[in-house]
């Protein structure tokens, strides 16, 4: 039996307190890239009660994604943004997910991200990561950006951390493990970097700005 | 002296571009903050480090 919206909100209010839960549900979070990082970030935020998500990825679900990304075998071939929205709605039927099946770049970022309060950078390409972080910090200085760098391989989980680079720029990861080195991405380590990012989002919402 | 990523570096008078190149950074993969503000890439050549500046260079690696 799917809970009513009132029951859903009540359960979150009971857990988080009304004041914090209202802040969570009124915050819009953009997730840029819906791979191992982005799909896990979105699921953590949806479970925590984030109601307004902007989901951006140009790609479709592929069999090579399933070892670390939050999609299912029966979603191969579907746009990641659509598939993730479906999966998030199974968790929280009342979540609003605005989806964009496009490649985010300097030309469309301002329009797509304009309503976001907090932006998660979750791309896999290093140049794309640098581009969106530079763009947001230069052109949208009122927003927070939570980026990721270095979460590949089987190195210790404890090397993945969150660093506050400047007032509105947080960086999660070990900052060195490149996907091209070694065995590539492993679900558990990507997931924990995504958890760092999602947790940083929730801490910003709670006005806990230090790491 | 300039404090770059927490270390004192003798880079006064160098531009951001000169420093990044000499330190071996890939300019396409970095974000640079000078005294807490982002330095747009178009200004790397014209932004000169001064004594006492505090700089953060974030160099991204692939994976996500």
């Amino acid at each position: 039996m799917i809970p009513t919206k009132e029951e859903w909100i009540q359960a979150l209010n009971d857990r988080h307190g009304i004041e914090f839960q209202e802040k969570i549900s009124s915050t819009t979070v953009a997730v840029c890239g819906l791979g191992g990082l982005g799909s896990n970030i979105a699921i953590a935020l949806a479970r925590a009660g984030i109601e307004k998500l902007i989901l951006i990825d140009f790609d479709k679900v592929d069999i090579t994604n399933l070892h670390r990304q939050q999609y299912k075998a029966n979603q191969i071939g579907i746009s990641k943004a659509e598939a993730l929205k479906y999966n998030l709605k199974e968790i929280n039927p009342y979540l609003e997910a605005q989806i964009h099946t496009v490649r985010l770049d300097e030309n469309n970022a301002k329009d797509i991200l304009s309503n976001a309060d907090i932006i998660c950078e979750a791309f896999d390409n290093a140049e794309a990561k640098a581009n969106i972080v530079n763009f947001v910090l230069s052109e949208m200085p009122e927003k927070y950006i939570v980026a990721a760098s270095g979460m590949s391989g089987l190195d210790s989980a404890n090397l993945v951390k969150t660093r506050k680079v400047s007032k509105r720029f947080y960086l999660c990861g070990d900052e060195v493990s490149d996907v091209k080195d070694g065995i590539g991405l492993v679900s558990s380590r990507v997931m924990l970097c995504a958890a760092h990012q999602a947790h940083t989002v929730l801490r910003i919402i709670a006005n806990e700005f230090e790491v | 002296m300039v404090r770059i990523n927490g270390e004192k570096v003798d880079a006064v008078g160098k531009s951001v571009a000169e420093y990044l190149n000499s330190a071996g950074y890939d300019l396409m993969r970095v974000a640079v903050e000078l005294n807490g503000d982002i330095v747009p890439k178009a200004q790397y050549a014209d932004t000169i480090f001064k004594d006492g500046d505090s700089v953060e260079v974030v160099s991204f690696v692939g994976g996500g």
Side-chain angles (χ1 to χ4, degrees):
Chain A
M1 188 77 163
I2 291 174
T4 65
K5 186 166 188 183
E6 290 67 32
E7 289 169 331
W8 176 267
I9 291 168
Q10 187 61 51
L12 287 166
N13 284 346
D14 289 347
R15 180 163 298 275
H16 293 147
I18 290 177
E19 194 186 343
F20 183 42
Q21 187 51 44
E22 282 182 349
K23 278 179 147 181
I24 294 175
S25 59
S26 64
T27 301
T28 301
V29 181
V31 184
C32 306
L34 305 176
L37 292 173
S39 61
N40 279 300
I41 292 168
I43 281 181
L45 293 178
R47 290 198 186 279
I50 292 279
E51 289 182 2
K52 292 184 282 186
L53 284 167
I54 302 170
L55 306 174
I56 309 138
D57 200 301
F58 65 88
D59 211 355
K60 291 177 178 162
V61 178
D62 184 82
I63 189 170
T64 60
N65 303 146
L66 296 185
H67 73 109
R68 71 181 193 281
Q69 304 184 16
Q70 295 292 345
Y71 304 102
K72 302 163 200 171
N74 65 3
Q75 293 179 315
I76 290 171
I78 301 173
S79 117
K80 286 187 181 179
E82 273 180 45
L84 188 58
K85 180 176 181 178
Y86 181 90
N87 295 345
L88 294 171
K89 288 268 198 182
E90 283 189 328
I91 294 167
N92 172 6
Y94 307 108
L95 175 138
E96 296 167 36
Q98 190 187 105
I99 60 174
H100 297 273
T101 304
V102 296
R103 196 182 283 272
L104 192 72
D105 59 26
E106 292 86 345
N107 299 314
N108 57 18
K110 211 152 199 176
D111 281 343
I112 291 172
L113 301 175
S114 63
N115 290 330
D117 301 299
I118 303 171
I119 297 164
C120 293
E121 176 284 307
F123 293 140
D124 56 359
N125 177 280
E127 285 84 6
K129 287 172 175 290
N131 281 343
I132 195 67
V133 167
N134 276 289
F135 182 85
V136 170
L137 291 170
S138 306
E139 305 293 325
M140 310 174 102
E142 76 285 4
K143 301 192 189 297
Y144 290 91
I145 183 148
V146 182
S149 180
M151 73 301 296
S152 299
L154 276 174
D155 277 349
S156 170
N158 293 339
L159 297 173
V160 174
K161 57 187 180 0
T162 301
R163 177 159 79 93
K164 185 177 182 182
V165 181
S166 59
K167 197 170 172 220
R168 288 172 181 268
F169 174 22
Y170 295 82
L171 184 66
C172 304
D174 64 23
E175 301 191 42
V176 291
S177 61
D178 195 294
V179 69
K180 293 195 194 77
D181 305 330
I183 63 168
L185 293 154
V186 178
S187 64
S188 45
R189 206 157 185 266
V190 180
M191 198 181 274
L192 76 93
C193 188
H196 269 265
Q197 290 182 273
H199 196 64
T200 299
V201 168
L202 294 174
R203 283 179 58 80
I204 291 168
I205 294 169
N207 294 328
E208 297 285 349
F209 297 111
E210 299 309 317
V211 296
Chain B
M1 285 302 220
V2 181
R3 188 168 284 274
I4 302 179
N5 292 354
E7 308 233 334
K8 284 183 179 172
V9 180
D10 184 11
V12 174
K14 276 190 178 180
S15 71
V16 173
E18 284 168 344
Y19 169 72
L20 292 174
N21 283 320
S22 68
Y25 285 105
D26 178 345
L27 270 62
M28 297 299 288
R29 295 182 168 209
V30 296
V32 179
E33 295 219 317
L34 174 59
N35 301 324
D37 292 317
I38 192 80
V39 182
K41 288 201 182 224
Q43 292 172 24
Y44 282 1
D46 299 328
T47 302
I48 310 295
F49 290 136
K50 299 186 297 295
D51 191 36
D53 275 347
S54 178
V55 182
E56 279 289 330
V57 181
V58 172
S59 183
F60 288 91
V61 294

